[in-house]
Amino acid sequence: MKAYIAGKITGDENYRRKFQTAREKLEEHGFTVINPAELPEGMRPEDYMRICLAMMDSADIVAFLPDYDQSRGARLVMEWREEAYTLDEQ
């Protein structure tokens, strides 16, 4: 199964490490992980959203990080997707 990670990126200096930790946890559970934190920096927010929606649409589930509610994009994802997997903060 493929899992897309959703959580706060903008304004979080440690987002890459946080998403990598989530990736590792999901892989331990057998998921193929789609990680938006691996996208290059420097694009416009609307570009990221279009790419992330396509990535998420390819996933079987969305794994929401504990801070997803602090991200406008992740909140939109929560409203759009029905299958969700919430990761506990470690």
Side-chain angles (χ1 to χ4, degrees):
M1 285 187 69
K2 298 176 301 276
Y4 173 86
I5 304 170
K8 182 179 180 182
I9 292 179
T10 303
D12 184 343
E13 293 179 9
N14 298 312
Y15 76 91
R16 288 191 191 271
R17 181 72 220 141
K18 176 179 63 177
F19 275 70
Q20 181 60 33
T21 299
R23 177 190 190 121
E24 292 166 5
K25 287 174 88 174
L26 288 163
E27 288 175 340
E28 286 174 9
H29 287 88
F31 289 100
T32 299
V33 179
I34 303 169
N35 185 353
E38 295 174 352
L39 292 172
E41 293 184 15
M43 294 187 286
R44 297 175 304 168
E46 55 270 21
D47 294 329
Y48 287 114
M49 200 66 220
R50 276 193 298 276
I51 293 167
C52 289
L53 287 172
M55 292 169 75
M56 182 189 55
D57 196 38
S58 298
D60 298 303
I61 69 156
V62 177
F64 289 91
L65 298 177
D67 65 356
Y68 85 88
D69 60 338
Q70 297 173 29
S71 166
R72 191 180 97 194
R75 287 192 313 268
L76 288 171
V77 168
M78 177 62 92
E79 292 176 14
W80 194 51
R81 287 298 295 235
E82 294 177 15
E83 303 86 13
Y85 181 85
T86 304
L87 291 171
D88 296 327
E89 191 165 353
Q90 296 284 339

